[in-house]
Amino acid sequence: MQHRFQAGCTSSMQLYRELLALGYTGGYHVVNRYVMAIRKGIAVPARSVAPRPRNITSWIMQPEETLSPADVAQLETVRNACPEIALACDLAREFTNMLRHRRVHLLQDWIQKAELGGPDAIGIFADSIRQDLHAVTAGLTLSYSSGIVEGHVNRIKTIKRQMYGRASFALLRARVLLQP
């Protein structure tokens, strides 16, 4: 409504009619009070609806081909509005692609790029990867996985938490061994 007011339409009734045509269901007095606030220079401009950080993260982490056209458009809007998010998006997608396709030879270049030009959080992440580079390289190159062991540890911890610390170790042992 402010852009219409600045374009020369200063009549409250005219603005109200235009808003009704757009689907506005409020009353005339609300529009009139807002126009009066614009005239006095105390009107607060309407805020645009920004996507939630969780949605932005989801769009960044999903492969582009799986995103809907609306999500792609919203991500592009966010990227254009904030260059730091655009850089973080590029670095995250590059890292994810490197992990999915096990391209270890690109890891050093990515770490250097992230530490020198990336946002602070990604730079810190890249530094932690550099500190444990041998383990990360082994994880990307070797076919071995500790996933099964980690799954069993998670299952045992879940059983332990279910008991709320009220039972003895013997009962915990029995429950772990008897569960399939």
Side-chain angles (χ1 to χ4, degrees), residues 119-135:
D120 291 340
I122 294 181
I124 292 168
F125 174 68
D127 183 52
S128 67
I129 290 176
R130 181 186 300 283
Q131 291 174 8
D132 207 11
L133 189 60
H134 294 296

Side-chain angles (χ1 to χ4, degrees), residues 3-180:
H3 66 279
R4 285 289 294 136
F5 187 87
Q6 291 169 352
C9 182
T10 58
S11 167
S12 299
M13 185 54 76
Q14 178 62 34
L15 290 171
Y16 176 67
R17 287 185 188 125
E18 290 177 11
L19 287 173
L20 284 177
L22 294 173
Y24 177 67
T25 58
Y28 166 74
H29 295 291
V30 175
V31 175
N32 188 36
R33 271 184 280 165
Y34 191 71
V35 169
M36 296 299 275
I38 293 174
R39 288 182 183 144
K40 291 177 184 175
I42 58 173
V44 178
R47 294 186 319 196
S48 63
V49 178
R52 295 184 348 216
R54 179 173 288 198
N55 291 346
I56 296 171
T57 305
S58 172
W59 300 330
I60 290 172
M61 296 313 296
Q62 288 182 28
E64 272 187 274
E65 56 272 4
T66 64
L67 292 174
S68 69
D71 291 344
V72 171
Q74 284 186 309
L75 180 59
E76 276 307 309
T77 303
V78 170
R79 287 175 56 100
N80 292 335
C82 182
E84 192 169 82
I85 289 179
L87 183 58
C89 179
D90 293 340
L91 286 169
R93 285 197 168 155
E94 188 177 337
F95 184 74
T96 305
N97 188 32
M98 187 174 37
L99 289 182
R100 283 190 183 130
H101 301 292
R102 295 180 174 250
R103 296 183 177 141
V104 177
H105 60 281
L106 302 174
L107 187 60
Q108 286 284 11
D109 294 336
W110 183 87
I111 291 172
Q112 188 174 19
K113 190 186 312 181
E115 286 179 338
L116 295 178
D120 291 340
I122 294 181
I124 292 168
F125 174 68
D127 183 52
S128 67
I129 290 176
R130 181 186 300 283
Q131 291 174 8
D132 207 11
L133 189 60
H134 294 296
V136 174
T137 304
L140 289 174
T141 55
L142 299 176
S143 61
Y144 305 111
S145 172
S146 63
I148 295 173
V149 174
E150 294 295 332
H152 287 301
V153 169
N154 189 28
R155 181 178 60 85
I156 291 169
K157 286 183 177 181
T158 302
I159 294 169
K160 182 181 170 192
R161 284 188 200 110
Q162 288 173 346
M163 294 173 24
Y164 299 107
R166 294 181 292 204
S168 65
F169 179 74
L171 180 59
L172 175 63
R173 182 174 185 268
R175 285 190 66 190
V176 166
L177 293 176
L178 292 176
Q179 273 201 342

